[in-house]
């Protein structure tokens, strides 16, 4: 035990050093290269159950590579605060989606428990359930790299910049119910859990969050989960970065320390100037964000006059309490209307009445959540993160990005991404 744990510490130190080197040598470049190797005309085997129109919308932004499948939600093309399931974004770290026979699928709970357990889908559906609306968001969504100069996404619609977030009503069993069934031992303090996809996508979670509001979902907007969203079951970790919500969930191990699965320690670590260029592994909860989805980049205003501005706001910390809109690049702000229901850790729709006078304009939204957290501008965010001013124009790989999004409107009504000038 003694030698094991010191061995583990040694391993962690080496892993830390490696993560630092890998990130310094350009984990961002690797990410970008993946994007460039994309073949948007390719089609996955598992297909959305949507209409032809919906499929067309998704295909526009799809990216595929040997180890990665990405679909972006067309945020500009739906109303309300629930993302139609067939438009949900997809971030899959394997070449294809697993085809799982739900009748055979089992979820096991083992490790520091009194009774290791194995649940069938029928077992899970017999247990007390909850239905809750929550957003999911990839840790890389809307990041500086996506906006960066020379990046292929530059000037494309909001879908390609902000479309790695979606909101659904998820139904499932609270994880606390399952863990209580298994009986937690007193050293239990962390979970590590694994999906049944080819890459065995795994993640770590502190027990406090697991017992708070996490659940194992089998329903999405009243239907079974889509294959792309983790059929037959996935973890839902409300308000936290996407990778915590492991799809195709099959094993949960209760442990007394965090694990550092590949995607946590390597793939999803980021170098941070404010901690001396070291890599930071965990980011947990999303801060508050908002974005105007209409009008937005790639669209054209038909002429001066009335325009409804609309968008989405959310926070991993709670419910949205206020959204403000600026039409003059942040010089003045006015409060937008929130379309109910306004739910914690869920997208909230806002609207704002505007009369365009035909002159150049810069539209922005900024959200405040019920903990008082205010969405920062990009310079404010970089200041918080200790990113030097001379680097601020560079497309640094800053995941967990929540800066205010400017949309620049020209006199002819055309609209562009104004994040970098
Ligand atoms: N099993 C499994 N779970 C996973 C992933 C994966 O590749 N495999 N991707 C993670 C990441 S990085 C994100 S952002 C979310 C995306 O969920 P979605 O594909 O349902 O939108 O799932 C997470 N859970
Ligand atoms: Mo992600």
């Amino acid at each position: 035990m003694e030698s094991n744990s010191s061995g583990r510490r040694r391993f962690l130190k080496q892993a830390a050093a490696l993560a630092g080197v890998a990130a310094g040598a350009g984990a961002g470049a690797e990410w970008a290269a993946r994007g460039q190797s994309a073949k948007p005309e390719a089609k996955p085997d598992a297909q959305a159950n949507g209409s032809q129109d919906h499929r067309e919308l998704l295909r526009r932004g799809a990216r595929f590579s040997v180890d990665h499948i990405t679909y972006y939600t067309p945020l500009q093309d739906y109303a309300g605060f629930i993302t139609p399931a067939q438009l949900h974004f997809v971030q899959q770290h394997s070449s294809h989606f697993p085809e799982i026979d739900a009748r055979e699928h089992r979820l096991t709970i083992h490790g520091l428990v009194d009774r290791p357990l194995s649940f069938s889908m029928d077992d899970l559906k017999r247990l007390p359930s909850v239905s809750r609306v929550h957003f999911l968001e990839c840790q890389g969504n809307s990041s500086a790299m996506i906006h960066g100069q020379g990046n292929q996404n530059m000037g494309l619609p909001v879908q390609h910049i902000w479309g790695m977030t979606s909101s659904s009503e998820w139904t499932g069993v609270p994880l606390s119910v399952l863990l209580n069934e298994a009986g937690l031992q007193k050293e239990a303090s962390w979970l590590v859990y694994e999906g049944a996809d080819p890459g065995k996508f795994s993640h770590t979670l502190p027990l406090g969050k697991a017992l708070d509001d996490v659940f194992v979902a089998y329903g999405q907007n009243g239907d079974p989960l889509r294959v792309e969203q983790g059929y037959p079951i996935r973890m839902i970790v409300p308000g936290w970065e996407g990778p915590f919500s492991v799809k195709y969930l099959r094993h949960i191990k209760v442990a007394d320390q965090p694990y550092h699965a590949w995607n946590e320690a390597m793939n999803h670590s980021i170098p941070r100037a404010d901690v001396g260029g070291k890599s930071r592994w965990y980011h947990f909860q999303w801060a508050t964000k908002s974005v105007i989805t209409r009008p937005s980049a790639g669209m054209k205003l038909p002429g001066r006059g009335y325009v409804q501005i609309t968008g989405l706001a959310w926070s991993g910390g709670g419910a949205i309490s206020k959204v403000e809109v600026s039409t003059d690049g942040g010089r003045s702000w006015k409060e937008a209307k929130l379309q109910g229901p306004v739910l914690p850790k869920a997208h909230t729709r806002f609207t704002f009445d505007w009369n365009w006078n035909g002159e150049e304009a810069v539209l922005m939204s900024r959200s405040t959540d019920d903990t008082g957290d205010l969405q920062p501008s990009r310079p404010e965010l970089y200041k918080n993160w200790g990113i030097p001013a001379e680097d601020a124009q560079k497309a640094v790989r800053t995941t967990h990005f929540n800066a205010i999004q400017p949309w620049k409107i020209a006199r002819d009504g055309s609209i562009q991404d104004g994040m970098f000038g």
Side-chain angles (χ1 to χ4, degrees):
M1 189 63 217
E2 199 28 53
S3 67
N4 261 353
S5 69
S6 68
R8 176 149 184 87
R9 267 197 300 277
R10 235 188 350 266
F11 167 75
L12 289 179
K13 267 196 191 146
Q14 285 162 3
L18 264 178
V21 169
E30 181 212 15
W31 201 69
R34 276 199 200 139
Q36 273 144 22
S37 70
K39 296 185 198 69
E41 70 283 4
K43 234 173 105 177
D45 295 332
Q47 187 48 276
N49 58 351
S51 68
Q52 208 49 48
D53 277 1
H54 281 148
R55 289 185 198 169
E56 187 46 44
L57 285 174
L58 282 168
R59 253 203 305 279
R60 268 200 249 146
R63 297 188 191 291
F64 304 94
S65 67
V66 279
D67 62 351
H68 220 77
I69 302 170
T70 305
Y71 283 118
Y72 299 89
T73 292
L75 295 171
Q76 69 282 3
D77 289 326
Y78 69 90
F81 72 114
I82 301 276
T83 312
Q86 61 273 30
L87 300 185
H88 198 289
F89 84 98
V90 177
Q91 193 63 283
Q92 180 60 31
H93 294 81
S94 55
S95 59
H96 60 278
F97 301 104
E99 284 172 36
I100 295 175
D101 182 347
R103 288 164 305 187
E104 300 291 317
H105 192 71
R106 292 279 183 287
L107 171 64
T108 62
I109 301 187
H110 63 114
L112 297 172
V113 292
D114 298 333
R115 296 169 294 281
L117 293 174
S118 167
F119 298 90
S120 68
M121 289 303 295
D122 284 343
D123 295 337
L124 291 174
K125 287 183 178 170
R126 247 183 47 207
L127 293 170
S129 67
V130 292
S131 288
R132 296 200 190 114
V133 177
H134 289 302
F135 74 85
L136 279 181
E137 181 171 17
C138 179
Q139 72 289 348
N141 194 35
S142 82
S143 77
M145 227 192 75
I146 295 177
H147 301 270
Q149 289 99 329
N151 186 291
Q152 59 181 344
N153 288 335
M154 195 70 184
L156 291 183
V158 63
Q159 170 175 9
H160 303 273
I161 303 172
W162 283 77
M164 286 194 286
T165 184
S166 308
S167 200
S168 310
E169 185 195 55
W170 307 100
T171 298
V173 187
L175 189 51
S176 57
V177 169
L178 303 177
L179 293 174
N180 284 339
E181 289 281 307
L184 290 171
Q185 295 186 353
K186 73 173 186 320
E187 311 79 42
S189 51
W190 290 82
L191 305 182
V192 57
Y193 43 104
E194 179 189 293
D197 41 352
K200 296 183 182 171
F201 192 91
S202 304
H203 217 284
T204 292
L205 184 72
L207 189 62
K209 177 69 173 172
L211 295 175
D212 178 14
D213 60 354
V214 175
F215 54 106
V216 173
Y218 47 76
Q220 179 179 7
N221 299 346
D223 280 324
L225 292 187
R226 279 202 320 156
V227 168
E228 293 86 340
Q229 258 66 66
Y231 178 84
I233 45 172
R234 81 177 301 162
M235 203 71 104
I236 292 292
V237 181
W240 287 24
E241 288 187 343
F244 285 90
S245 293
V246 169
K247 308 189 273 189
Y248 320 105
L249 185 65
R250 74 169 162 194
H251 297 309
I252 299 174
K253 183 177 179 184
V254 180
D256 60 359
Q257 59 184 311
Y259 278 58
H260 296 279
W262 169 79
N263 83 81
E264 302 175 78
M266 303 295 283
N267 190 37
H268 288 162
S269 63
I270 57 163
R272 291 280 294 262
D274 56 342
V275 287
K278 287 185 185 152
S279 284
R280 199 166 267 185
W281 280 336
Y282 292 109
H283 300 264
F284 302 110
Q285 182 177 295
W286 274 108
T288 191
K289 298 182 80 161
S290 74
V291 63
I292 293 170
T293 55
R294 290 187 84 87
S296 58
M299 295 180 191
K300 195 166 180 186
L301 295 181
R304 61 186 67 199
Y306 176 80
V307 187
Q308 178 190 253
I309 295 174
T310 186
L312 296 166
W314 60 98
S315 168
I320 290 299
S321 56
K322 185 164 75 171
V323 176
E324 296 156 290
V325 166
S326 173
T327 57
D328 56 13
R331 277 190 294 279
S332 65
W333 294 92
K334 288 199 189 104
E335 206 162 328
K337 280 182 239 155
L338 303 185
Q339 266 184 7
V342 179
L343 300 172
K345 306 173 192 179
H347 286 173
T348 296
R349 169 75 55 182
F350 63 86
T351 62
F352 184 85
D353 298 317
W354 185 45
N355 253 308
W356 184 45
N357 61 10
E359 295 300 315
E360 284 179 0
V362 178
L363 305 185
M364 297 175 163
S365 66
R366 70 175 184 201
S367 52
T368 306
D369 71 14
D370 60 6
T371 72
D373 192 25
L374 171 70
Q375 185 181 3
S377 66
R378 186 172 53 82
E380 284 161 356
L381 183 66
Y382 281 11
K383 203 166 154 232
N384 296 344
W385 282 351
I387 294 175
E390 60 270 24
D391 287 345
Q393 286 297 318
K394 282 192 211 147
V396 284
R397 189 195 190 212
T398 47
T399 57
H400 211 82
F401 194 82
N402 71 324
I404 291 170
Q405 171 68 57
W407 300 125
K408 277 168 53 173
I409 303 185
R411 282 212 175 84
D412 67 357
S414 61
I415 308 173
Q416 281 200 324
D417 182 1
M419 184 63 84
F420 287 92

